[in-house]
Structure formats: structure tokens, C-alpha cells
Amino acid sequence: MKMKQNILNQSMTRRQFIRRTAFSSAGIAGAVAFGGPLPNEFGRAATGGEKKRRKPNVIFIITDDQKLGSFGFLGKKALTPNIDRLANSGVYFSRAYVSTSVCTPSRYTCLTGRYAGRAVNPEFKNATSAEGQTRIGWNTHLVKEALNLPKVLQQNGYVTGAVGKWHLGGPKLKRIPIDSDPANSGIAKILKENQEKVCAHIRKQGFDYAASIHLTNLKNYPCRALGQHNIEWTVKGGLDFIEQNKDRPFFLYFATTLLHGPSPLESLKSDPRITTAGLLEKPLKVQPSRQSVLERVKKAGLPENAAPATCLDDAVGALMKKLDDMVLMEDTLIFYFNDHGVEGGKGSLYEGGVKTPTFIYWKDRIKSRKCSELIQNTDFAPTILEACNITAPRKMVLDGKSFVPLLDGKKGKIHDSLFMEIGYTRAVCTKKWKYIAFRIPPSEHISREKRIALQQRYQRRKLEKDALEKSFEIDKDAPITHLGSVPGGSGTERGNALRHYAKNYFAPDQLYDLENDPEEQNNLADSPGYKNVLLEMKSLLKEHLKSVPGTFGEFKTSL
């Protein structure tokens, strides 16, 4: 389970620094070290007659709760030509996983290269049990003191930008009544000040530029009238960043709110001036109109609820057009990643939550193919650093490995196994097997009275944020679920894992044959014929747990 830390953490020698400076405008360093010839594309070393390239730009597109049915290239009923182009012309990873299957920890991992269980912010630490067992959920935030991907890129000559959904912690915003009128000048002033405060916070996390930011999910905003998607606003922020930094290497973190709730279709029909920072003076014309989306989807013979996927696709198309217009496409490495699975497993470590579409595109630099090797979102930061010819600082902890060799077309695996974590569960998987352990710390077993109180508080908060939120029946005997956030399960669990994986959900030990049972419905943990496999997978999990913080049941009893 050893990581490539020894390679990533080596400090540069003076000779290497001189060589790197001399080639600062050349191509990336594929999978070779500084001592060899710098290639100007994956797998090919630069020759005297070839044009030297600048350092690569990187655009990291992270979508939100994007279901498989919204990807046309997967054979689904979706009109997504731009996304299809990226996937079909790049490297599509059919076995890409996240280490945690809700949005905040997934984003934390993408921007750090670390498991979310390494978070050090107070909200995360306060959720740790008396035994030292961590509980990973929406509580893993970036802190300005810790190294992350954008900070290291900054230190190496990159300009960094973030647009769209953040959801990684932030400042306290000035409150306004939930039924406020955003057209009111006093309310508009507060909304603008809140947006400026959020952007200032993000700049402290390693970003030179922050614009069009949604601090959290749209339903959580204090002004109900502004709880609508505005992908054009996010695109405008991204296009402005590219325009302003076209002559220097850049990293753009482009995080959409689509296709998460509230209803993207309703937003498509709403006032296009709506943003969480207030009302725009006029609609933005940065991509095809919303009306044209509805018309194109109808013409294609698709149901109206397929329209949001096409609107998202138009946003991707706008970014690609900008790169083409500025002759930057061949200099730009594009990552496309959905923040986690939403096929019935969100909030769990089942395949439906941890397996997610991921593809990498670089025009004329990587060949199109489908790769079935195991990769994880822990690997994005090391991969980007290697692609940008940057050595991670020695003190930067990286749990992932670079998969540049896979982009380069080389055969071989990056991981023998993957480790995953959320709530009170931990898991490990290989290409064939998945083992999930569900362990509730003794100190977290609670009384009926506390179960009821927690459910009532959860329901009250949900109703305060959204008047349309459905209430649920309070159950004094509601069991603690995998996430452990509320007895009986949060809304995330109730509509996903609790229903889709009900047969074995509460079993403390779960073993699945992913080749023959990809839906994970047949738990083999208690089958005598699989005793040795279970022991091997338990041992593998124990090994992974040695390198991460916190205790976990009998697998790790001390810190």
C-alpha cells in the first residue's frame, strides 16, 4: 500500500532547478524525471525541429450529482455533444472511484490529494468519537494553513482560479429574512458583501481568482428567491479568468451546481438574472439560450427533463470554444469528473456512490481509449502536479498516485486496491472484491430520547431552509445509519442507499463479488466458502487504516 511519496516529495537539486527554469516554456514531463529530455507531449520527447510548448493549463471540471443518464456517450438518452467529444477523444476511466461519496469530502480530496479523514478543521475534529473514530461527512473543510493543489501550483508559477460551487467551508455570512426581495437595494447590498466575503475566503485557500461562487447547496441560501441554478454565471466567471490569464499557465477549478437539486429543469425556466450574489442587471449571453436548450431537446425527441444535461453541456462547449478561439486548446489539459456516484449509493461506500464517470482530454496529446484500471480522486492532485512538471513539497501529504502513465498509454496498474471512508463505514476494493465494515463506536450508541431529539432538530432545520421540504415520521427506534448524521438516515440516505441496498445495509461485515454481483446485492461475508477472501479483505483494510488518522472498531484500536 506504499504510495509514490518518495518520488513526489524529493526536493530539487540546484541542477534540476536550473534545468526546470530553462525549460519553463517547454512541454510537460510525461512520466520522466527532470534528468531526461522533456517531452512536448505524452510519450514523445521534443526534438530540435518541434515547437516547444508552454507549461500546460489545467481546467478541472467537477459537476454535481450528475447521473449516468445525463451522459450521451454512455448510450443514454441525453443530448451532450461537447461532453461526448471530451470523453470519446480522451481517456475514459471505467473504474474511477471517490474515497468518500458526498460532495464536500470529495471536493476536499480533489484539491488536496488526501483522504478526507485527514481534515483538521474544527467541525471535523468535533465529530470525532470519544474512542478517536472519525466521522467523515459534510464536515471536511480546507484551511489556509495546510498545503493543497492550488497553493503548490501558485508556488510554481501558475495563476489559479475557482468558480461555481465551493462547499468546503467559509465565513459566516450576514443573515437576511428567507423571504427577502433581492431587488431591494438594502438586500442587494448585503448579498454583494456576502459574495465578496466568500471570494476573499477562497483566495486564502490558494486561489488568485474567485468569482461566481455558491458557498454551499442552493437550498441552503438565506434568500429563497435566489435558490436557482445559473450555469451562465459560472461560465462567465470561468471565461473571464481564461481571458485574463491567456498568456500564462493557469489552473481553473470549474465547479457546477448542475445537476444537483433544486430542480434544474425549473431553474432552466426561471429568471436568468438570478444568482446567489443577487440579481444581475441583465441575462448573460455566454452560451446558447435556455429557450434553445428546450427546443433542441424536443427536436431530438428527448423528454423535457433531459434539458438540464444539455444546458450543462452548453457550458462545457462555451469553455471549449474559448480555448479554441484563443488557440489554447492544445495547451490545456481538461479533467471531467462528477463529484460522486448518485445511482442509489450517495452517502455510502457501495458502487452506486463511490464509482463515478471520469475522463481526461488533451487535444493531440493523449490518445482516445477506455481504461479499466482502478483510479481514485486521491490521484488527481499528484497527476496534475506531474503533468505540470512540479514536484510536491516534502511536507505535502499525498495519499494518491499519479496516473500519468495511463494517460501516456502505458499498460500496468496504479493501484492494487482502493480505500474508502464515510461516516461509520470504511471499505476496501480490488478489481474483483469489495469489503465494507460498519462500526458504530460504543460512545455513539444513543438513547431513544436523543434519537427523537436529533430527528426533530434535523427536520426543523430542513423545513427552515426549504418550505417545500417533505417531513418524515419520527421514529424513536430509528437505527444509526452509515453516515451517522441523524438516526434513520438523512435525506441523502433515505432516497439512496437505504432503499437500494436495504437487504444488507445494516450488516457489520459485507463482502461483494464485483465481477458477478456489480449491484452488490449478495453479501458473501457469512458464506463459509468465502471465509479466506473475507479474511484477506479485512487484512487489506487493516493495512490501509494504519496510514490514516483515527481509530476504527477492532481494526485499529489506538491512534
Side-chain angles (χ1 to χ4, degrees):
M1 200 182 83
K2 292 182 179 179
M3 305 298 174
K4 253 175 25 180
Q5 294 277 13
N6 58 327
I7 296 176
L8 290 172
N9 292 337
Q10 288 175 352
S11 58
M12 280 190 293
T13 64
R14 182 173 181 275
R15 180 170 177 267
Q16 289 171 334
F17 176 80
I18 293 172
R19 182 172 182 80
R20 175 173 167 181
T21 304
F23 286 96
S24 62
S25 62
I28 68 160
V32 300
F34 287 121
L38 288 173
N40 71 341
E41 61 182 298
F42 286 109
R44 288 181 57 198
T47 62
E50 293 180 355
K51 178 185 175 182
K52 290 182 179 180
R53 296 182 185 271
R54 55 184 266 172
K55 283 188 175 183
N57 307 312
V58 180
I59 295 181
F60 190 91
I61 300 171
I62 176 170
T63 60
D64 199 2
D65 278 21
Q66 187 175 2
K67 292 184 178 181
L68 296 178
S70 64
F71 291 96
F73 79 94
L74 292 177
K76 308 300 181 180
K77 294 181 178 180
L79 185 62
T80 54
N82 296 299
I83 293 172
D84 296 349
R85 172 188 162 192
L86 292 180
N88 292 328
S89 301
V91 180
Y92 171 65
F93 291 93
S94 61
R95 296 294 299 274
Y97 288 81
V98 293
S99 57
T100 309
S101 63
V102 291
C103 53
T104 298
S106 176
R107 292 158 200 270
Y108 173 94
T109 295
C110 290
L111 289 173
T112 64
R114 297 189 287 274
Y115 296 122
R118 293 194 188 279
V120 295
N121 57 297
E123 297 87 346
F124 179 72
K125 287 187 173 182
N126 291 339
T128 301
S129 76
E131 297 83 359
Q133 184 170 319
T134 58
R135 181 164 62 83
I136 299 94
W138 291 273
N139 55 356
T140 56
H141 303 161
L142 293 185
V143 294
K144 64 181 181 180
E145 296 81 11
L147 277 175
N148 59 32
L149 175 63
K151 286 180 181 178
V152 173
L153 290 171
Q154 276 183 331
Q155 294 168 4
N156 286 272
Y158 274 75
V159 59
T160 57
V163 298
K165 181 178 175 179
W166 182 242
H167 216 176
L168 283 163
K172 290 185 178 180
L173 303 182
K174 190 170 183 179
R175 304 295 298 181
I176 58 176
I178 195 168
D179 58 352
S180 296
D181 179 3
N184 177 280
S185 60
I187 297 299
K189 182 174 182 292
I190 293 173
L191 291 169
K192 183 179 179 181
E193 291 172 351
N194 282 345
Q195 176 73 184
E196 290 172 349
K197 186 182 290 187
V198 170
C199 290
H201 170 81
I202 292 173
R203 286 192 291 271
K204 294 177 183 178
Q205 313 307 315
F207 289 99
D208 300 295
Y209 172 101
S212 306
I213 297 296
H214 304 278
L215 180 61
T216 180
N217 286 330
L218 297 176
K219 281 187 177 182
N220 295 340
Y221 271 80
C223 182
R224 184 180 292 127
L226 300 181
Q228 300 289 340
H229 299 276
N230 191 326
I231 189 65
E232 298 94 337
W233 188 50
T234 303
V235 169
K236 179 66 163 58
L239 297 183
D240 287 350
F241 175 77
I242 294 172
E243 174 71 36
Q244 293 169 21
N245 299 286
K246 59 183 181 294
D247 296 323
R248 52 192 297 200
F250 63 75
F251 170 77
L252 174 61
Y253 179 75
F254 185 87
T256 77
T257 60
L258 295 173
L259 298 164
H260 196 287
S263 169
L265 182 58
E266 290 182 13
S267 293
L268 198 57
K269 299 177 180 180
S270 68
D271 185 344
R273 299 176 302 147
I274 290 174
T275 78
T276 51
L279 295 175
L280 301 171
E281 291 185 6
K282 59 183 179 181
L284 297 169
K285 296 182 179 179
V286 294
Q287 64 183 73
S289 72
R290 297 183 178 190
Q291 182 59 38
S292 80
V293 172
L294 296 169
E295 292 170 354
R296 279 178 282 144
V297 166
K298 183 177 181 180
K299 185 177 180 180
L302 298 175
E304 190 178 54
N305 61 13
T310 300
C311 188
L312 172 60
D313 185 77
D314 284 345
V316 174
L319 292 179
M320 295 171 71
K321 183 179 185 301
K322 186 69 170 179
L323 294 174
D324 277 329
D325 290 346
M326 308 206 74
V327 198
L328 291 174
M329 187 65 83
E330 292 183 7
D331 293 312
T332 305
L333 177 61
I334 301 175
F335 282 65
Y336 192 103
F337 168 74
N338 179 44
D339 59 348
H340 49 73
V342 279
E343 310 306 311
K346 181 178 178 180
S348 77
L349 301 182
Y350 296 110
E351 292 286 280
V354 293
K355 190 177 176 184
T356 188
T358 302
F359 40 95
I360 320 295
Y361 172 84
W362 195 349
K363 183 180 179 182
D364 298 333
R365 306 289 290 278
I366 58 178
K367 296 178 180 178
S368 72
R369 61 190 167 276
K370 182 177 180 179
C371 181
S372 61
E373 294 301 325
L374 298 176
I375 66 163
Q376 197 171 39
N377 58 340
T378 52
D379 302 327
F380 293 145
T383 300
I384 290 170
L385 290 176
E386 182 174 357
C388 296
N389 200 11
I390 294 172
T391 301
R394 186 175 302 237
K395 61 182 179 180
M396 183 182 187
V397 176
L398 288 169
D399 289 309
K401 298 180 181 181
S402 169
F403 53 77
V404 161
L406 299 180
L407 299 180
D408 197 26
K410 292 182 173 61
K411 294 183 178 180
K413 55 191 174 184
I414 302 299
H415 298 282
D416 292 309
S417 63
L418 299 176
F419 169 72
M420 304 159 196
E421 54 182 0
I422 197 168
Y424 295 138
T425 62
R426 303 293 184 267
V428 64
C429 84
T430 63
K431 277 193 171 183
K432 180 173 175 58
W433 299 103
K434 165 86 72 66
Y435 169 66
I436 299 174
F438 179 26
R439 300 290 189 271
I440 302 171
S443 62
E444 298 299 307
H445 288 277
I446 55 179
S447 66
R448 283 186 172 187
E449 290 73 19
K450 189 170 183 179
R451 289 173 192 270
I452 293 172
L454 288 173
Q455 290 177 78
Q456 290 175 333
R457 184 179 69 174
Y458 174 78
Q459 187 172 88
R460 183 172 61 252
R461 288 180 174 179
K462 297 289 283 185
L463 292 172
E464 286 173 354
K465 293 175 182 177
D466 186 0
L468 300 178
E469 185 71 35
K470 295 180 181 179
S471 61
F472 56 86
E473 185 178 348
I474 301 296
D475 180 359
K476 62 184 179 181
D477 295 314
I480 296 174
T481 56
H482 289 193
L483 271 171
S485 55
V486 58
S490 65
T492 294
E493 295 168 290
R494 288 171 184 265
N496 290 276
L498 272 169
R499 184 178 67 213
H500 288 78
Y501 300 96
K503 183 180 178 182
N504 303 299
Y505 183 89
F506 291 103
D509 295 293
Q510 301 175 37
L511 177 67
Y512 300 103
D513 181 344
L514 298 179
E515 289 182 355
N516 298 303
D517 179 26
E519 299 297 321
E520 295 169 302
Q521 295 299 305
N522 185 21
N523 182 10
L524 303 172
D526 295 326
S527 300
Y530 295 92
K531 180 180 178 180
N532 289 337
V533 176
L534 179 63
L535 290 174
E536 289 174 6
M537 295 301 287
K538 282 187 170 184
S539 177
L540 192 55
L541 176 60
K542 188 173 182 178
E543 280 299 309
H544 277 282
L545 286 167
K546 286 180 180 179
S547 65
V548 297
T551 61
F552 187 72
E554 75 278 15
F555 292 91
K556 189 178 180 183
T557 56
S558 60
L559 296 172

